[in-house]
Amino acid sequence: MPLHVPPAPAPALRTVVTALGSPTAVREARTPSLRNAQGPLTAELPLPVHVLDRITPAGTSATRLAGWRFLIRCHERAVAAAETRLTPDGWAFSHFFEGPYVTATERALRQAETMPGSYQPRLLSVPELYMLTLWLHGDFTADGTGGRLAATDLLVPLAPAPPGIAAHRPHRAAELLPVLTHRLTPTPTPLLGSPA
Protein backbone atom coordinates (compact mmCIF):
# COMPACT_ATOMS: atom_id res chain seq x y z
CA MET A 1 0.00 0.00 0.00
CA PRO A 2 1.32 3.42 -0.69
CA LEU A 3 1.71 5.39 2.51
CA HIS A 4 1.11 9.11 2.12
CA VAL A 5 3.18 10.68 4.91
CA PRO A 6 1.87 14.17 5.66
CA PRO A 7 4.44 16.96 5.62
CA ALA A 8 5.42 18.12 9.08
CA PRO A 9 5.16 21.81 9.89
CA ALA A 10 8.45 23.41 8.81
CA PRO A 11 9.06 24.96 12.27
CA ALA A 12 8.70 21.52 13.91
CA LEU A 13 11.27 19.99 11.58
CA ARG A 14 13.57 22.99 12.08
CA THR A 15 13.54 22.51 15.87
CA VAL A 16 14.52 18.85 15.50
CA VAL A 17 17.30 19.61 13.00
CA THR A 18 18.59 22.33 15.34
CA ALA A 19 18.58 19.91 18.29
CA LEU A 20 20.40 17.27 16.21
CA GLY A 21 23.03 19.86 15.32
CA SER A 22 23.54 20.85 18.94
CA PRO A 23 26.31 18.84 20.63
CA THR A 24 24.82 19.78 24.00
CA ALA A 25 21.31 18.53 23.15
CA VAL A 26 22.63 15.24 21.75
CA ARG A 27 25.18 14.71 24.54
CA GLU A 28 22.59 15.39 27.26
CA ALA A 29 19.93 13.20 25.62
CA ARG A 30 19.14 10.08 27.60
CA THR A 31 19.54 7.97 24.50
CA PRO A 32 22.80 6.00 24.38
CA SER A 33 22.16 5.00 20.75
CA LEU A 34 21.96 8.65 19.75
CA ARG A 35 25.07 9.66 21.70
CA ASN A 36 27.06 6.72 20.32
CA ALA A 37 25.92 6.97 16.69
CA GLN A 38 28.77 6.86 14.20
CA GLY A 39 27.76 8.92 11.20
CA PRO A 40 25.28 11.59 10.20
CA LEU A 41 21.91 11.71 11.95
CA THR A 42 18.81 12.61 9.95
CA ALA A 43 15.22 13.27 10.97
CA GLU A 44 12.82 11.28 8.79
CA LEU A 45 9.26 9.97 8.64
CA PRO A 46 7.41 12.74 10.46
CA LEU A 47 4.25 11.35 12.01
CA PRO A 48 1.57 13.44 13.72
CA VAL A 49 0.92 12.17 17.23
CA HIS A 50 -2.76 12.26 18.17
CA VAL A 51 -4.17 11.54 21.61
CA LEU A 52 -7.42 9.69 22.23
CA ASP A 53 -8.65 10.96 25.59
CA ARG A 54 -12.06 9.34 25.55
CA ILE A 55 -14.21 7.07 23.46
CA THR A 56 -17.94 7.71 23.11
CA PRO A 57 -20.47 4.91 23.63
CA ALA A 58 -20.96 4.89 19.84
CA GLY A 59 -17.27 3.97 19.57
CA THR A 60 -16.14 7.14 17.82
CA SER A 61 -14.02 9.86 19.21
CA ALA A 62 -12.24 12.97 18.15
CA THR A 63 -8.53 13.08 18.66
CA ARG A 64 -6.30 15.99 19.47
CA LEU A 65 -2.94 16.67 17.92
CA ALA A 66 -0.26 16.51 20.63
CA GLY A 67 2.88 16.84 18.52
CA TRP A 68 4.99 15.43 15.70
CA ARG A 69 7.42 12.54 16.04
CA PHE A 70 10.43 12.06 13.77
CA LEU A 71 12.48 8.89 13.48
CA ILE A 72 16.19 9.67 13.80
CA ARG A 73 18.26 7.58 11.43
CA CYS A 74 21.93 6.83 11.34
CA HIS A 75 22.78 5.14 8.06
CA GLU A 76 19.84 2.81 7.31
CA ARG A 77 18.33 2.26 10.74
CA ALA A 78 16.37 4.27 13.27
CA VAL A 79 18.42 4.79 16.43
CA ALA A 80 16.05 7.13 18.27
CA ALA A 81 13.08 9.44 17.83
CA ALA A 82 12.51 13.14 18.41
CA GLU A 83 9.28 14.63 19.67
CA THR A 84 8.02 18.15 19.14
CA ARG A 85 5.07 19.88 20.78
CA LEU A 86 2.97 22.92 20.08
CA THR A 87 3.48 25.81 22.50
CA PRO A 88 1.86 29.27 22.58
CA ASP A 89 4.96 30.46 20.67
CA GLY A 90 4.74 27.76 17.99
CA TRP A 91 6.42 24.39 17.52
CA ALA A 92 9.20 23.50 19.96
CA PHE A 93 11.58 20.57 20.31
CA SER A 94 10.52 18.45 23.28
CA HIS A 95 12.95 15.52 23.66
CA PHE A 96 14.84 12.62 22.11
CA PHE A 97 14.05 9.07 23.17
CA GLU A 98 14.69 5.47 22.23
CA GLY A 99 13.19 2.17 23.20
CA PRO A 100 10.70 -0.38 21.96
CA TYR A 101 8.28 2.08 20.34
CA VAL A 102 10.98 3.27 17.91
CA THR A 103 11.58 -0.21 16.49
CA ALA A 104 7.87 -1.10 16.75
CA THR A 105 6.98 2.00 14.71
CA GLU A 106 9.46 1.05 12.00
CA ARG A 107 8.14 -2.51 11.93
CA ALA A 108 4.49 -1.37 11.73
CA LEU A 109 5.29 1.05 8.89
CA ARG A 110 7.03 -1.73 6.91
CA GLN A 111 4.03 -3.98 7.58
CA ALA A 112 1.62 -1.25 6.43
CA GLU A 113 3.46 -0.86 3.14
CA THR A 114 2.49 -4.44 2.22
CA MET A 115 -1.25 -3.97 2.87
CA PRO A 116 -3.74 -3.11 0.13
CA GLY A 117 -5.16 0.42 -0.03
CA SER A 118 -3.81 3.91 0.49
CA TYR A 119 -3.50 5.44 3.93
CA GLN A 120 -1.96 8.34 5.81
CA PRO A 121 0.17 7.08 8.72
CA ARG A 122 -0.24 8.74 12.10
CA LEU A 123 0.41 7.73 15.68
CA LEU A 124 -2.47 7.42 18.12
CA SER A 125 -1.80 7.42 21.85
CA VAL A 126 -4.29 6.07 24.39
CA PRO A 127 -2.70 7.34 27.63
CA GLU A 128 -5.10 5.56 30.00
CA LEU A 129 -4.00 2.20 28.59
CA TYR A 130 -0.33 3.13 28.05
CA MET A 131 -0.98 2.21 24.44
CA LEU A 132 0.44 3.53 21.19
CA THR A 133 -0.86 2.51 17.77
CA LEU A 134 0.01 3.22 14.19
CA TRP A 135 -3.16 4.87 12.87
CA LEU A 136 -3.67 4.30 9.16
CA HIS A 137 -6.12 7.05 8.27
CA GLY A 138 -8.22 6.49 5.14
CA ASP A 139 -8.23 10.14 4.06
CA PHE A 140 -4.65 10.32 2.85
CA THR A 141 -5.19 13.85 1.49
CA ALA A 142 -5.80 15.27 5.01
CA ASP A 143 -3.17 17.56 6.49
CA GLY A 144 -2.55 15.21 9.44
CA THR A 145 -3.47 17.70 12.15
CA GLY A 146 -7.11 16.86 12.75
CA GLY A 147 -9.72 14.29 12.18
CA ARG A 148 -11.91 11.70 13.68
CA LEU A 149 -11.22 8.02 13.65
CA ALA A 150 -13.24 6.57 10.80
CA ALA A 151 -14.72 3.11 11.30
CA THR A 152 -12.65 1.83 8.37
CA ASP A 153 -9.34 3.31 9.54
CA LEU A 154 -6.80 0.70 10.60
CA LEU A 155 -5.12 0.68 14.01
CA VAL A 156 -1.95 -1.35 14.50
CA PRO A 157 -1.05 -1.61 18.22
CA LEU A 158 2.68 -1.17 18.75
CA ALA A 159 4.72 -3.42 21.02
CA PRO A 160 4.55 -3.47 23.93
CA ALA A 161 0.75 -3.55 23.74
CA PRO A 162 -1.55 -3.83 26.77
CA PRO A 163 -2.35 -7.37 27.93
CA GLY A 164 -4.93 -9.05 25.74
CA ILE A 165 -4.28 -6.84 22.70
CA ALA A 166 -2.02 -8.35 20.06
CA ALA A 167 0.81 -6.09 18.94
CA HIS A 168 1.30 -5.57 15.19
CA ARG A 169 -2.10 -7.03 14.33
CA PRO A 170 -4.13 -4.55 12.24
CA HIS A 171 -7.68 -3.89 13.43
CA ARG A 172 -10.43 -1.78 11.90
CA ALA A 173 -11.15 1.10 14.27
CA ALA A 174 -14.78 -0.12 14.47
CA GLU A 175 -13.51 -3.44 15.88
CA LEU A 176 -10.82 -2.17 18.27
CA LEU A 177 -12.61 0.86 19.76
CA PRO A 178 -15.30 -1.22 21.53
CA VAL A 179 -12.54 -3.30 23.15
CA LEU A 180 -10.80 -0.12 24.29
CA THR A 181 -14.13 1.34 25.50
CA HIS A 182 -14.65 -1.73 27.68
CA ARG A 183 -11.14 -1.40 29.11
CA LEU A 184 -11.51 2.33 29.75
CA THR A 185 -14.90 2.01 31.46
CA PRO A 186 -14.33 1.67 35.18
CA THR A 187 -15.98 -1.32 36.79
CA PRO A 188 -18.34 -0.17 39.55
CA THR A 189 -17.25 -1.38 42.96
CA PRO A 190 -19.99 -2.61 45.25
CA LEU A 191 -20.60 -0.62 48.42
CA LEU A 192 -19.76 -2.29 51.71
CA GLY A 193 -22.72 -4.21 53.00
CA SER A 194 -24.50 -4.30 49.63
CA PRO A 195 -25.04 -7.59 47.81
CA ALA A 196 -22.34 -8.34 45.27
Side-chain angles (χ1 to χ4, degrees):
M1 125 175 107
L3 292 178
H4 301 272
V5 179
L13 176 58
R14 236 185 340 267
T15 66
V16 171
V17 171
T18 300
L20 280 174
S22 165
T24 304
V26 171
R27 191 171 43 254
E28 291 178 6
R30 295 183 181 167
T31 57
S33 295
L34 190 61
R35 284 194 311 269
N36 299 327
Q38 299 294 316
L41 298 168
T42 58
E44 298 178 4
L45 279 171
L47 296 173
V49 180
H50 291 259
V51 175
L52 182 65
D53 289 317
R54 65 181 178 78
I55 305 169
T56 66
T60 60
S61 180
T63 64
R64 65 179 167 83
L65 180 67
W68 284 79
R69 183 172 295 175
F70 299 78
L71 291 181
I72 306 301
R73 290 193 186 279
C74 181
H75 303 294
E76 293 300 315
R77 76 179 191 83
V79 295
E83 190 105 2
T84 63
R85 60 183 164 71
L86 191 57
T87 69
D89 295 324
W91 288 100
F93 171 75
S94 176
H95 61 282
F96 291 116
F97 66 95
E98 63 181 78
Y101 284 135
V102 174
T103 54
T105 300
E106 257 196 323
R107 177 181 169 186
L109 287 166
R110 280 194 309 271
Q111 179 184 2
E113 289 172 346
T114 66
M115 296 178 195
S118 294
Y119 294 95
Q120 180 186 86
R122 303 171 173 195
L123 293 172
L124 180 67
S125 172
V126 186
E128 289 181 76
L129 296 177
Y130 301 100
M131 180 178 180
L132 186 65
T133 70
L134 177 64
W135 172 12
L136 299 173
H137 189 51
D139 181 5
F140 59 86
T141 62
D143 68 2
T145 61
R148 285 183 139 344
L149 276 163
T152 56
D153 286 353
L154 294 177
L155 298 174
V156 183
L158 301 182
I165 296 176
H168 297 288
R169 181 173 168 235
H171 302 271
R172 295 256 176 237
E175 298 165 358
L176 188 58
L177 287 178
V179 173
L180 300 183
T181 302
H182 177 68
R183 288 179 174 237
L184 292 174
T185 305
T187 306
T189 54
L191 298 174
L192 289 176
S194 64

